[in-house]
Amino acid sequence: MIADTLERLGEYACLGGGIGKALEFLASSDLHALPEGKIPVCGDDLFLLVQRRRTCPPEEEPFETHRRYADIHITLEGEEWLGYAPLADLSPLAPYSPGKDCETFTGDGVFFRGSPDRFFLFFPWDAHKACITMGERSDVRKIVVKAAVGGGRL
């Protein structure tokens, strides 16, 4: 997992591959001008999901991992908390679904505040949950980038 400020987003393009392309695209785009919905950048290998969501308490959302994609989360409006946990600390909830590229888990993790000046990069081996509230539910507008990575979980 990488968490940093948006002003340093482009510095991580050195990661290369789909993640590097995604970070270059994000660093050179007006993120607030992006329309809601799915925005293809490189077919199914790299796309953005610009969405509005309602936050929920941490116990209502499972941790998840992906095998095909790394996720980049950027909160454009509002505030959300994002959870992270090592897989070794979690228990499986549902088996991996290739169609959804998702496996879900239950357990405890740590939480980071997502605000409009931050981004979070979750690799396939990073269990995470998003759109979490630590108080009252609220609406957020956010970007989730899906960047294909080779080899899946390490």
Side-chain angles (χ1 to χ4, degrees):
M1 182 191 112
I2 295 173
D4 207 339
T5 60
L6 280 179
E7 66 186 26
R8 294 178 41 86
L9 191 65
E11 308 226 4
Y12 292 94
C14 64
L15 293 171
I19 294 171
K21 286 180 187 175
L23 294 166
E24 286 174 358
F25 177 85
L26 293 167
S28 64
S29 298
D30 179 357
L31 302 180
H32 292 279
L34 295 171
E36 287 184 31
K38 183 177 179 178
I39 301 171
V41 177
C42 231
D44 284 339
D45 288 336
L46 176 57
F47 58 92
L48 286 69
L49 302 169
V50 181
Q51 52 194 220
R52 289 192 184 276
R53 292 194 49 199
R54 189 132 178 98
T55 59
C56 65
E59 62 275 5
E60 291 183 15
E61 190 74 21
F63 281 98
E64 64 182 35
T65 61
H66 312 291
R67 294 187 184 173
R68 179 168 178 185
Y69 295 102
D71 280 4
I72 303 167
H73 288 250
I74 299 172
T75 310
L76 297 172
E77 297 171 13
E79 178 182 277
E80 66 176 319
W81 289 78
L82 295 102
Y84 162 81
L87 281 175
D89 294 351
L90 302 176
S91 300
L93 262 178
Y96 177 71
S97 167
K100 294 181 179 181
D101 185 42
C102 188
E103 187 172 1
T104 56
F105 300 86
T106 186
D108 296 322
V110 295
F111 290 85
F112 301 88
R113 188 172 64 85
S115 59
D117 62 338
R118 309 261 179 223
F119 78 94
F120 297 84
L121 168 58
F122 297 103
F123 294 96
W125 52 88
D126 292 328
H128 59 283
K129 59 170 83 178
C131 286
I132 301 301
T133 183
M134 295 299 175
E136 297 292 319
R137 292 178 189 253
S138 64
D139 295 319
V140 294
R141 182 170 184 261
K142 67 179 294 171
I143 298 171
V144 178
V145 179
K146 297 293 207 173
V149 294
R153 191 179 301 147
L154 295 178

